[in-house]
Amino acid sequence: MAAASYLPPEDRFLCSICLDLFTDPVTIPCGHNFCKDCITQHWDTSDRCQCPMCKEAFNTRPDLRVNTFISEMVAQFRQSAQQKASSSSSSSSEQQVFKPGEVFCDVCTETKLKALKSCLVCLTSYCETHLEPHLTMSGLKRHQLIDPVENLEDRMCPKHDKPLELFCKTDHTCVCMLCTVSDHKMHDVVPLKEGYEGQKAALGKKEARIEEMIQKRQLKIQEVKRSVDLSKEDADREVAEGVQVFTALKESVEKKLNEFIQTIEEKQKMRMKQAEDFIKELEQEISQLKKRSAKVEHLSRSEDHLHVLQGVQSLNIQHPSPTKDWTKVSIPPSSYEGTVVRAVVQLEETLSKEMKKLLEVELKRVQKYAVDVTLDPDTAYPRLILSDDGKQVRDGDVVKNLPDNPERISKTICVLGKQSFSSGRFYFEVQVKGKTDWDLGVARGSINRKEVINLSPQGGFWTLWLSNGNEYKAPNAPLVLLSLKSRPKKVGVFVDYEEGLVSFYDVDAAALIYSFTGCSFTEKLYPFFYPGAKCGHKNAAPLIISPVT
């Protein structure tokens, strides 16, 4: 702090952040002083809590308390400066104490007053009072005066120590008069004003271009935000629909479970009721038999001849009372075989109905992304016959003499679509009715068209096969054999480029056949069609790109 005593009084009371007199000065642990608002705002916008001057870092933000001593000193200095300014001459009294960004007089020794002009010869800035000699003395009148600027030495040629008053358009730099006869002798040199006007016009154009770039990026930000909003809306809608579907499925499962439990319980109740009835009837017969047994026992012990004979007659021993033959009466064990299976089958039927409804909704959703696809004759294998409208393709069984252009596929009986897709979602439908062999899907634009095609994602193809009339396959890694309930007559192909999804649908059955997921697309995708080889009348039907309804 000893060095501070050699600084001008006003410098000792300037905040190093705002470069103005302290307002509510505070002292931080390293000993440096700042305006309370300045250091607070600095720490609020900085990643670390440290001193702006010595860079000492603090683990926790220090408590800030106003340094009353420095605050009082600043107040005294401000009052003193105001008094000095008010006691100066009437002309100078109209000038103000300099503020940050303003140029002040280099000659003033006490209160620095605002400079009115800067001299390029003296390399000094002057207030109104100290400028007077340059306005009255003949020798000084020849000096070049300009509006006050800082760092006057930067306006002098470092080589010739002369004012930089010319602009070299060849080297795009400011030069002095002596430079034009030395380093810039044959260059296109113009006065500063002309160079300024030319550069200002260029800056205006550049500013307009920058503003246009800013506006485009702002529009892109709005587009991205809108995309995020739409994505969130889609996600919320998907979640709501998913919750609705799974809630219905859950309720359906619970209902079938309750029905299953109820069926078992009713069977068990019926067996219990039957057993209870049998037991009650048996107990009644036992009670009657016990009474009869007691009478027999009583008579058998009597010595009274008449009494015994009369009693036997009343018991009718020769013809005992009829009773039920229980030897063939039984309660068979409950049979629950197949109960669970039947319940699961019923549940499966219910789920299949719900699944069909869901797939119908899903198919309608992807059909919204339908695109118009046509076949590209420049890519067609020479045996193929394409319709004039580019919507049908079949094997002609004869190789035509066609130019072997770079786009043409030379080793496989297939053709690509004219349209390509490198973003977004798209969907198209193809009729495969009457065919026993075909392949549909999408292919990368960079596939090797002059070699035998490797129909797999590794080879750049995402397709669905039919071979031998009933063998459906998805050439994933490894090959996936598909079991379909019915043979599709029309196949829908849906691609979500960003999602990396390729799905195939049985349009008439509204059923999902297969999906490639987690694909990584980095180039254009083309619709791919393989009608298969014709064998007589077998597989002679064409593949037909159908309008989406």
Side-chain angles (χ1 to χ4, degrees):
M1 294 300 291
S5 61
Y6 298 102
L7 295 173
E10 58 270 28
D11 287 354
R12 282 184 266 168
F13 301 131
L14 293 182
C15 172
S16 61
I17 297 177
C18 67
L19 302 179
D20 204 349
L21 291 175
F22 284 125
T23 301
D24 294 333
V26 295
T27 304
I28 62 176
C30 62
H32 291 111
N33 303 303
F34 305 93
C35 298
K36 185 176 182 180
D37 289 343
C38 292
I39 190 64
T40 300
Q41 186 176 5
H42 174 77
W43 284 341
D44 288 342
T45 57
S46 177
D47 294 336
R48 301 181 62 191
C49 182
Q50 62 181 10
C51 175
M53 295 187 67
C54 67
K55 305 303 181 184
E56 181 179 344
F58 310 111
N59 294 330
T60 58
R61 182 179 292 196
D63 292 333
L64 300 178
R65 297 183 180 179
V66 176
N67 189 319
T68 55
F69 175 74
I70 297 178
S71 181
E72 291 172 0
M73 294 294 291
V74 171
Q76 292 177 8
F77 171 76
R78 185 179 282 111
Q79 183 178 5
S80 175
Q82 291 173 351
Q83 290 175 352
K84 288 182 180 180
S86 62
S87 63
S88 61
S89 62
S90 59
S91 60
S92 61
S93 65
E94 295 176 358
Q95 301 182 58
Q96 300 177 352
V97 177
F98 80 96
K99 296 180 180 179
E102 292 181 342
V103 179
F104 56 92
C105 179
D106 293 324
V107 182
C108 293
T109 56
E110 295 184 357
T111 302
K112 294 285 186 180
L113 299 180
K114 184 177 178 181
L116 295 183
K117 293 290 180 179
S118 296
C119 178
L120 292 178
V121 178
C122 303
L123 297 182
T124 306
S125 297
Y126 301 100
C127 65
E128 184 177 359
T129 301
H130 296 119
L131 181 64
E132 187 176 356
H134 277 74
L135 302 176
T136 57
M137 297 177 65
S138 58
L140 296 177
K141 281 184 178 181
R142 291 193 293 271
H143 288 192
Q144 186 176 353
L145 298 175
I146 61 173
D147 289 335
V149 294
E150 293 180 332
N151 303 323
L152 284 168
E153 60 275 6
D154 293 341
R155 294 177 172 267
M156 303 299 291
C157 176
K159 186 174 182 179
H160 303 109
D161 201 26
K162 295 294 182 181
L164 299 171
E165 50 190 350
L166 300 171
F167 179 72
C168 177
K169 297 174 71 176
T170 305
D171 292 338
H172 295 279
T173 185
C174 296
V175 298
C176 70
M177 292 296 296
L178 294 180
C179 290
T180 61
V181 296
S182 57
D183 298 341
H184 302 266
K185 185 176 182 179
M186 304 301 294
H187 293 183
D188 185 6
V189 179
V190 297
L192 279 181
K193 183 176 181 182
E194 184 178 338
Y196 159 81
E197 290 174 349
Q199 291 297 317
K200 185 150 188 181
L203 286 173
K205 292 179 181 179
K206 188 174 183 65
E207 183 181 7
R209 287 197 300 270
I210 293 174
E211 183 62 29
E212 182 181 358
M213 292 171 67
I214 291 173
Q215 290 178 359
K216 286 182 178 179
R217 281 151 180 78
Q218 288 175 338
L219 289 174
K220 181 57 70 174
I221 289 174
Q222 294 177 4
E223 180 184 334
V224 171
K225 288 183 177 179
R226 177 59 181 162
S227 177
V228 171
D229 291 340
L230 290 175
S231 177
K232 186 177 185 306
E233 290 175 5
D234 290 342
D236 292 342
R237 182 171 57 252
E238 195 72 17
V239 169
E241 291 178 359
V243 169
Q244 183 177 359
V245 169
F246 279 101
T247 300
L249 292 177
K250 179 183 175 183
E251 291 175 353
S252 180
V253 171
E254 290 177 347
K255 180 180 178 182
K256 292 299 179 183
L257 176 61
N258 291 333
E259 290 176 356
F260 166 74
I261 295 173
Q262 186 176 359
T263 300
I264 299 297
E265 289 178 346
E266 286 178 353
K267 283 188 176 182
Q268 180 61 18
K269 285 181 181 178
M270 184 178 68
R271 294 291 187 274
M272 291 179 65
K273 178 66 168 57
Q274 189 178 17
E276 289 174 356
D277 291 343
F278 284 162
I279 291 171
K280 185 176 181 181
E281 188 175 352
L282 285 167
E283 288 176 344
Q284 288 177 349
E285 289 192 5
I286 289 171
S287 177
Q288 292 175 359
L289 290 172
K290 283 182 177 180
K291 290 180 181 178
R292 190 176 181 86
S293 175
K295 289 183 179 180
V296 170
E297 182 183 1
H298 176 71
L299 288 175
S300 64
R301 291 179 181 178
S302 175
E303 297 296 333
D304 187 339
H305 299 165
L306 179 62
H307 176 68
V308 169
L309 292 174
Q310 289 176 341
V312 168
Q313 187 177 1
S314 64
L315 287 174
N316 197 8
I317 293 177
Q318 302 300 326
H319 303 283
S321 59
T323 55
K324 191 171 184 177
D325 183 5
W326 290 94
T327 57
K328 296 181 180 181
V329 175
S330 65
I331 298 177
S334 298
S335 176
Y336 300 111
E337 285 77 5
T339 306
V340 175
V341 174
R342 287 192 297 273
V344 172
V345 169
Q346 291 174 359
L347 176 60
E348 184 180 12
E349 292 174 355
T350 302
L351 294 180
S352 295
K353 292 178 182 177
E354 294 297 327
M355 192 66 183
K356 184 172 177 59
K357 292 179 184 178
L358 187 62
L359 285 170
E360 288 174 352
V361 173
E362 177 67 18
L363 183 59
K364 289 180 181 178
R365 182 181 300 171
V366 300
Q367 284 177 331
K368 294 179 182 178
Y369 299 99
V371 294
D372 185 20
V373 173
T374 53
L375 303 170
D376 185 358
D378 291 338
T379 67
Y381 183 73
R383 270 174 50 177
L384 294 179
I385 296 177
L386 277 61
S387 62
D388 293 338
D389 62 359
K391 296 292 186 180
Q392 300 187 27
V393 58
R394 61 184 175 85
D395 179 20
D397 211 17
V398 176
V399 177
K400 292 174 287 185
N401 186 16
L402 298 175
D404 189 19
N405 51 285
E407 295 82 11
R408 190 171 306 284
I409 297 172
S410 303
K411 300 290 185 180
T412 306
I413 310 174
C414 58
V415 60
L416 299 179
K418 280 186 178 181
Q419 294 73 20
S420 64
F421 306 90
S422 56
S423 64
R425 302 166 183 169
F426 62 95
Y427 174 84
F428 59 94
E429 293 180 353
V430 182
Q431 181 179 309
V432 296
K433 182 180 178 182
K435 297 193 65 61
T436 59
D437 189 12
W438 52 259
D439 197 341
L440 291 173
V442 292
R444 280 201 305 252
S446 63
I447 58 173
N448 190 338
R449 307 184 186 201
K450 305 303 178 184
E451 299 294 336
V452 176
I453 284 175
N454 173 21
L455 289 175
S456 68
Q458 292 73 25
F461 295 86
W462 293 265
T463 62
L464 184 70
W465 292 358
L466 168 64
S467 59
N468 300 322
N470 58 3
E471 296 177 5
Y472 293 91
K473 305 170 186 176
N476 209 334
L479 185 71
V480 179
L481 299 178
L482 303 172
S483 177
L484 306 185
K485 292 182 178 179
S486 60
R487 293 181 58 183
K489 296 179 181 179
K490 186 184 293 184
V491 176
V493 182
F494 172 69
V495 177
D496 188 328
Y497 194 96
E498 284 75 19
E499 192 69 22
L501 173 70
V502 182
S503 294
F504 299 89
Y505 294 87
D506 181 340
V507 177
D508 296 324
L512 176 65
I513 300 174
Y514 185 77
S515 289
F516 292 90
T517 59
C519 308
S520 179
F521 301 131
T522 57
E523 56 183 274
K524 291 181 179 179
L525 296 179
Y526 291 82
F528 173 82
F529 306 87
Y530 170 86
K534 184 177 73 170
C535 301
H537 294 291
K538 191 176 180 182
N539 201 42
L543 289 176
I544 304 174
I545 302 173
S546 305
V548 178
T549 58

